[in-house]
């Protein structure tokens, strides 16, 4: 896939306690014309300082590290009220296991998805691009399976959701099903720009960060099940 060189490079931070693995990722990502590794850290505490200092666009965050793991670091990033991190980065969790309850918790805290540590270099790079563009890097079915470990009574539909227009609800349900903008455009007979406008309005009205948060919101509120 060609990537325009006149586009700003995606600034990436790598957080993993295995230096060899981290170095390998740095080589792979650094070889991409549209990416640059701007920071590395060996645990969550180091990561918080590196993210504040270098303001990456995307962080690849290992789930399990010591003394501070990736889940806690992710929580601190997205719950920060001091503005320490400037523009909040997108966070992709790195995990060894396909079904990882820690990854599910990190997604609830604000991560945009997870990838397996044995993913191909191509998949890692495309995941970074996808998340930087506001997409998720896990299928809704996978996310539902992750969240299913913590069942909860289905609440009433939130008042915020009821404020969406009929068309916005249709787009919401399509996003929650994992459809791409192109698929939504074809399904609802809308232009691509109109789909983007509706998604932006949905995120704003519901106070959500990205598409993966729409999936979480849908699942946890029993919308479209």
């Amino acid at each position: 896939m060609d990537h325009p060189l006149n586009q700003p490079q995606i600034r990436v931070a790598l957080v993993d306690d295995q230096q060899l693995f981290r170095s390998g990722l740095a080589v792979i990502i650094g070889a991409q014309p549209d990416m640059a590794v701007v920071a590395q850290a060996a645990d969550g505490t180091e990561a918080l300082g590196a993210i504040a200092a270098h303001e990456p666009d995307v962080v690849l965050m290992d789930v399990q590290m010591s003394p501070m793991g990736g889940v806690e670091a992710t929580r601190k990033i997205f719950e920060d009220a001091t503005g320490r991190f400037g523009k909040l980065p997108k966070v992709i969790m790195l995990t060894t296991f396909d079904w990882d309850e820690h990854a599910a918790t990190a997604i609830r805290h604000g991560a945009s998805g997870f990838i397996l540590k044995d993913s191909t270099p191509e998949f890692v790079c495309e995941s970074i691009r996808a998340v930087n563009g506001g997409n998720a890097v896990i299928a809704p079915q996978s996310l539902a399976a992750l969240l299913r470990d913590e069942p909860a009574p289905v609440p009433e539909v939130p008042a915020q959701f009821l404020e969406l227009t009929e068309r916005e609800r249709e787009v919401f349900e399509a996003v929650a099903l994992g459809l791409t903008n192109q698929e939504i455009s074809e399904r609802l007979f809308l232009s691509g720009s109109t789909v983007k406008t509706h998604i932006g309005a949905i995120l704003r009205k519901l106070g959500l960060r990205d598409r993966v948060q729409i999936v979480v919101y849908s699942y946890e509120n029993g919308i479209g099940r």
Side-chain angles (χ1 to χ4, degrees):
M1 181 181 296
D2 294 327
H3 300 280
L5 294 178
N6 60 346
Q7 294 292 327
Q9 286 187 312
I10 303 171
R11 298 167 57 83
V12 181
L14 306 176
V15 186
D16 194 285
D17 57 2
Q18 297 178 17
Q19 184 174 355
L20 186 60
F21 177 77
R22 200 171 67 237
S23 298
L25 276 179
V27 171
I28 292 168
I29 294 168
Q32 305 302 308
D34 58 336
M35 298 181 195
V37 176
V38 298
Q40 296 188 41
D43 71 86
T45 302
E46 284 186 17
L48 297 180
I51 292 168
H54 298 281
E55 297 189 354
D57 300 308
V58 178
V59 179
L60 294 184
M61 181 85 74
D62 188 21
V63 167
Q64 295 185 322
M65 298 176 291
S66 181
M68 182 189 292
V71 177
E72 177 65 10
T74 299
R75 183 188 68 79
K76 287 181 177 293
I77 291 168
F78 288 102
E79 291 184 0
D80 176 69
T82 66
R84 173 188 180 191
F85 300 108
K87 178 185 175 182
L88 291 178
K90 305 290 186 179
V91 177
I92 302 173
M93 306 307 295
L94 297 169
T95 178
T96 307
F97 307 105
D98 197 4
W99 305 119
D100 192 324
E101 63 183 26
H102 301 294
T105 301
I107 289 168
R108 286 193 175 91
H109 288 323
S112 293
F114 76 94
I115 59 177
L116 300 180
K117 282 193 166 187
D118 62 358
S119 298
T120 65
E122 293 78 11
F123 184 78
V124 171
C125 293
E126 288 306 321
S127 295
I128 291 170
R129 295 183 182 105
V131 165
N132 186 63
N135 295 308
V137 292
I138 52 176
Q141 295 86 351
S142 299
L143 181 58
L146 282 170
L147 298 177
R148 200 175 296 132
D149 291 335
E150 300 179 24
V154 177
E156 294 183 7
V157 176
Q160 292 172 311
F161 183 80
L162 298 178
E163 294 177 1
L164 299 182
T165 66
E166 182 177 353
R167 181 61 89 182
E168 287 168 352
R169 293 186 197 183
E170 291 176 339
V171 173
F172 174 97
E173 291 176 1
V175 172
L177 289 173
L179 301 185
T180 65
N181 283 10
Q182 179 63 34
E183 290 168 337
I184 295 171
S185 176
E186 295 171 357
R187 177 172 177 162
L188 299 180
F189 305 102
L190 299 172
S191 68
S193 60
T194 300
V195 171
K196 289 181 180 179
T197 298
H198 283 314
I199 292 175
I202 291 165
L203 294 174
R204 184 177 65 255
K205 290 181 180 181
L206 300 183
L208 304 177
R209 282 178 285 268
D210 51 34
R211 297 172 80 103
V212 76
Q213 292 292 302
I214 291 179
V215 180
V216 173
Y217 188 97
S218 172
Y219 182 82
E220 293 190 330
N221 289 287
I223 300 170
R225 291 190 196 178

